[in-house]
Amino acid sequence: DFHDADHAPDVDADTPDGDADFDEDTEPTDPWNEPFEDLEMGINCRIYVDVDVTETSDGRAWHTAFSDLHAAMEAAVRYRDGGCERVDIWVAEGRYHVYGMGLLAGSPSDSIELGENIGLYGGFRGGERARSSRVPDSRRTILDATSPEGEEVYHVVTGADEAVLDGFYIVNGGAEGPREHRSGGGLVHFSGAMKISNCTFFDNSATTAGGAI
């Protein structure tokens, strides 16, 4: 369930008005905001990401969301290894540059590295309480291989066994490097089963095969 787009995505696309599960004025009460509270129950844990959040954040709620995916993925691995059965990362609409994101120094090898039993979900406005409230086609969440200065990474996303990638526009990957970086400009996945849904791949390239995947 992925698409190869005919035109570049626009982050300013119109979005639907109203949302039954969205409260614009108050922060939602969310039982998953404290990920370690009930680890013995094997719960799913949740992390929030919003590129527009500028304050110091911990990713535990929309109003304290991480602003970059690198920090969110590091936290997700800690939560999973700490006992969470599965970790879901909800990502608000906007453009997320992969090259040099977060604490990464900035290298063509930078990538959003998914982890086992970690789900990455885009298409949120920010503030939703239910995943069914998101609208990926109009609340475009773009994973961009380039930096604002134009540098580019080989692979936008690196897959993992039992991972989920759902609700993203994946753009500008260029797998045109050394031998291990010549396939999968949009997403490179070496082994195991992962799920890709509601994703559009645009303007990704590769030297050998699989410009998109």
Side-chain angles (χ1 to χ4, degrees), residues 14 17 24 36 44 47 58 71 90 98 112 119 135 148 151 173 191 203:
D14 293 335
D17 294 327
E24 195 165 350
F36 291 108
N44 294 339
I47 295 169
D58 58 15
W90 289 12
V98 178
I112 298 169
V135 189
E151 294 93 346
S191 64
D203 203 18

Side-chain angles (χ1 to χ4, degrees), residues 2-211:
F2 63 87
H3 316 283
D4 191 6
D6 294 327
H7 55 80
D10 182 1
V11 293
D12 296 322
D14 293 335
T15 57
D17 294 327
D19 192 325
D21 291 301
F22 179 85
D23 190 336
E24 195 165 350
D25 297 319
T26 60
E27 294 301 333
T29 300
D30 194 323
W32 309 121
N33 281 348
E34 300 297 332
F36 291 108
E37 188 171 333
D38 294 309
L39 290 182
E40 68 276 9
M41 297 174 62
I43 64 170
N44 294 339
C45 303
R46 186 179 300 162
I47 295 169
Y48 300 86
V49 182
D50 188 339
V51 70
D52 293 326
V53 172
T54 58
E55 302 296 327
T56 301
S57 53
D58 58 15
R60 291 174 179 251
W62 280 120
H63 67 289
T64 60
F66 289 120
S67 61
D68 74 85
L69 286 163
H70 179 68
M73 291 305 304
E74 286 190 330
V77 171
R78 290 197 305 270
Y79 292 174
R80 182 202 61 195
D81 293 348
C84 288
E85 186 175 274
R86 182 168 192 86
V87 183
D88 287 349
I89 302 173
W90 289 12
V91 187
E93 62 187 334
R95 186 178 296 269
Y96 296 81
H97 294 278
V98 178
Y99 186 99
M101 64 181 175
L103 298 177
L104 296 179
S107 163
S109 298
D110 291 351
S111 181
I112 298 169
E113 297 186 5
L114 300 179
E116 185 176 355
N117 294 321
I118 294 175
L120 194 64
Y121 296 90
F124 293 93
R125 178 181 176 183
E128 290 91 342
R129 296 188 294 264
R131 198 168 71 206
S132 59
S133 299
R134 68 197 178 113
V135 189
D137 285 343
S138 54
R139 294 174 187 160
R140 292 180 173 177
T141 311
I142 301 171
L143 308 181
D144 191 338
T146 64
S147 72
E149 292 74 31
E151 294 93 346
E152 184 181 276
V153 301
Y154 300 131
H155 316 288
V156 181
V157 180
T158 300
D161 189 29
E162 300 299 325
V164 174
L165 183 69
D166 187 333
F168 293 93
Y169 286 77
I170 299 163
V171 304
N172 296 327
E176 300 171 2
R179 182 175 180 179
E180 66 273 22
H181 298 300
R182 293 182 180 178
S183 299
L187 181 146
V188 63
H189 182 53
F190 297 105
S191 64
M194 67 171 290
K195 182 178 180 180
I196 305 169
S197 300
N198 304 306
C199 288
T200 297
F201 292 79
F202 174 78
D203 203 18
N204 300 284
S205 61
T207 300
T208 302

